[in-house]
Amino acid sequence: MLHRNLLFLLGLVPAALAAQQDRPLTLHEAVLLGRRHGVQGELAQLESAAADARVGERRADLLPTLGGQAGISRQTNNLSEFGLSVPGFPAVTDPFTLYALRGRATQTLFNGASLSRLRGAGADARAAGYDARAARDRAGLQAGLAWLRAVSTAETVKAREADSVVAADLLRMARQQLQAGVSAAIDVTRAEVNMAAIRGQLLSARNERDQARLELNRALNVPADTAIVLSDTLDAVTTDLPVDADSAVAYAVAHRPETAAARERTRAAQLQRRAITWENLPSVEAFGQVNQTGIQIDTLRFTWSLGVQVSVPLFDGLRRQRRAAEQSARLAAQDLRERDLRRTVEVEARSALLDLASARGAVEVAQERLRLADQEMRQAEERFAAGAAGSVETSQAQLGLSAARDGLIQAKVNLSSARVRAYGALGAFDQMQ
């Protein structure tokens, strides 16, 4: 049943993408699909299901056990073994057939160790569930970053196409200037070299775009030839995350699945330590048994027995004490890991806010740089057309414009990446818009 459900869910991915063929896939949708259908998330979910099954295994120690037995045997008995000596009868009986039907039931009335282990298994299962959520978040993060790379490479292709248009205009102007006798042949040659370089950059950009599409399909766990329409915007506005560092840290500690998993593992270690302590106390079990026995099927006789059994541990070579010491060390190690994780989460939350602020500033700078580069390009074209400047000036202006376009694309990618990473650092993917 579980495998059928997983196959059904995996089948929803291409269906979901097909349903939005006419609607571009946004960053939020890419993260959502990655979280739901990423391979690592699915594997972690299976691990969580296994942990849930282990809870049932521990619960079985406290539930009734029933068993039955049926047998037929051909045998003899030594009467003297039971202290019987009948004059005129042999000490060993003649062979006879014995039919036996038996049933037995037991029920634990009290076993503190089993109860603590059951609770510990429950804590482990909850930790596995949080691990699965953390794995889904990581898969969503990777899908989001893959989406950003796919969109950024598509934007780079558009930038190189725009550069090609500018290069073609400059080449046309250089040829016109040469024919008019106001420009040297080297200006045409420079324009042609520049045009060839832009054409090569365009080919490289298209290859990177296609490679990024393949990586995105892999991150979304869909066939490599699946055609996905992408949203063409890299603009990102993040207004639903805490802006104060202390608030962000508190939010992250409360919502990160890793911190929740660490708390549950500490709880599980405590319960395992308590279970060993409970092993020093008596356990109580009730039992009952019924029998149907006889030398012929039609003469079977019914017998029964009921009872309560108390098991008292006395001495096991100090094995329990050594196990308790071992578990105490494991608990101390888990406490240390939990404290270290909290510090890591705090650093990641504060770092995410710093990256967001820096990325926003970088976008503003890149936008201003592009505005100035575009202005420089227009002025260089005007000077070249008027014969006041040569192709060196226009080539330099075009290089500056190309670099400014790339800088703005990268700045927007960095801002969107910082936004996605901030959601991950704070454990807020469920609130992502």
Side-chain angles (χ1 to χ4, degrees), residues 347-405:
V347 170
E348 290 178 353
R350 294 179 183 275
S351 177
L353 293 187
L354 291 175
D355 287 343
L356 268 177
S358 176
R360 290 193 185 101
V363 169
E364 295 175 0
V365 172
Q367 289 172 338
E368 178 64 12
R369 178 188 176 190
L370 178 60
R371 184 187 68 80
L372 294 174
D374 185 63
Q375 180 179 332
E376 180 187 14
M377 186 72 246
R378 290 196 303 271
Q379 293 173 351
E381 287 178 338
E382 292 172 358
R383 285 170 54 82
F384 183 71
S391 59
V392 173
E393 186 173 319
T394 56
S395 297
Q396 291 177 342
Q398 185 176 11
L399 289 175
L401 179 60
S402 178
R405 284 170 174 160

Side-chain angles (χ1 to χ4, degrees), residues 91-127:
V92 177
T93 65
D94 293 333
F96 64 94
T97 301
L98 178 65
Y99 299 91
L101 300 173
R102 294 184 174 87
R104 181 177 176 84
T106 61
Q107 170 63 59
T108 298
L109 301 180
F110 175 77
N111 190 316
S114 295
L115 184 59
S116 289
R117 290 192 180 94
L118 172 60
R119 293 172 177 171
D124 280 331
R126 290 189 294 272

Side-chain angles (χ1 to χ4, degrees), residues 97-99 292-302:
T97 301
L98 178 65
Y99 299 91
Q292 286 269 358
T293 58
I295 60 175
Q296 293 182 352
I297 294 180
D298 56 354
T299 61
L300 298 180
R301 296 293 183 265
F302 176 79

Side-chain angles (χ1 to χ4, degrees), residues 123 261-271 331 334-335 338:
R263 288 193 295 269
E264 292 296 338
R265 286 197 170 87
T266 300
R267 173 65 175 163
Q270 292 170 343
L271 289 168
L331 177 57
Q334 177 58 33
D335 285 334
E338 184 178 354

